[in-house]
Amino acid sequence: MSAKVFTPIFTQGALRCLRPLACFTLLLWLAACSQTSPEQMPEQTNAAPTVAEVEPPQVTTKAPQTPQAPQYQDLWRKIAASNAISLQATPQLQTWIAFYRQRPSFARQLSDNAAPFLFEIVIALEQKGLPLELALLPAVESGFNGNASAGASAGAPTGLWQMIPATGRRFGLRVGTDFDGRRDAMASTEAVLNYLVHLHAMLGQDWLNAVAGYNAGELRIQAAIKANQAKGLGSDFWSLKLSGKQAPTVYKWLALIALLREEALPLAPIANAPAVKREAAVNGQPLAVLAKGYGLSLKQLKALNPGFRTATVPTLGQYSLLLPLDAQWQGGQLSALKAPSYQVKSGDTLGAIAKRHGISLKTLLGLNGLTEKSIIKPGQLLRLE
């Protein structure tokens, strides 16, 4: 803002009263004022003051830098740092926290079981933009044991995520006597995450509700939400006030999250890097032959691939093997492993096929994961060796 310049104004009466010397002095003073530099005074006192245009300072604009996500060497720490799931101190939660604190052996076994699969599960969650804490659900459901089953019946939950057959099929898994996709670690992970996304959208955009629906049934949680809404209450998980018996998995899962964040579980670190890889499985080949070709024991191969329910890779469909990252095929040309097979024709019986090819019925059934009551269909491929 410009400084104001005050110009003295004198009346005629005042001038007459001044002595000559004073007048002379005044004239000298006014003359001096007329020589004032432009910086000190405007050229014309009746002109509007001018404002000099000042060049704005040169500002170097830097592109905003997106802070890089912290790099974690240990996957457990990466999951703990996610903080996408909020916790509340409830009696049910405290009960399960105490339960896990008293069982350090559980945590030690958990790291061993999770080591082959945890990185792949975390990557799948990141790709879908889901909370990383969901990677702890298999710890609650199965202890990261792909062979775990809740019962011997055909409808029992099984696999890392303990899916029932109907849910597995609903989300694209093959569930059969020769192969069960619920036991395939990677295929089942993809199916379960898709299901959880569905539940999240269905049950009030609440991940705890989604997990509760996965565990207790989506319709049950949906009914609880509607009952709360009818009373003018909230529809989030904590507002539903579900008991430990109504949603046991949720409280177990939240207890593990709490302990992981406190670093209160004796979990061996799991490297934030791939531990396994996928390779195509040759149809009709014995798992024992494939294990030997990759330098593994049959037990090791089955532990990573519990989805195979028989001693051989099914003859129909496409399958892959989960293998240690450093496993290399050393068994010659994979293409040479294709086993002799027979394509079933109309009118064939298992007994007739076995006799025609010079093998026992028992051998034919065992090679193909069949029983004497199995029904074969035209076009079906049966392994003969």
Side-chain angles (χ1 to χ4, degrees), residues 150-166:
S153 68
T158 193
L160 287 181
W161 300 89
Q162 292 292 288
M163 299 181 78
I164 61 174

Side-chain angles (χ1 to χ4, degrees), residues 261-272:
R261 289 175 182 173
E262 294 174 12
E263 299 188 42
L265 287 173
L267 293 164
I270 296 179
N272 186 11

Side-chain angles (χ1 to χ4, degrees), residues 134-150:
L134 292 172
L136 296 178
L137 269 180
V140 175
E141 295 285 2
S142 67
F144 280 98
N145 179 0
N147 272 312
S149 182

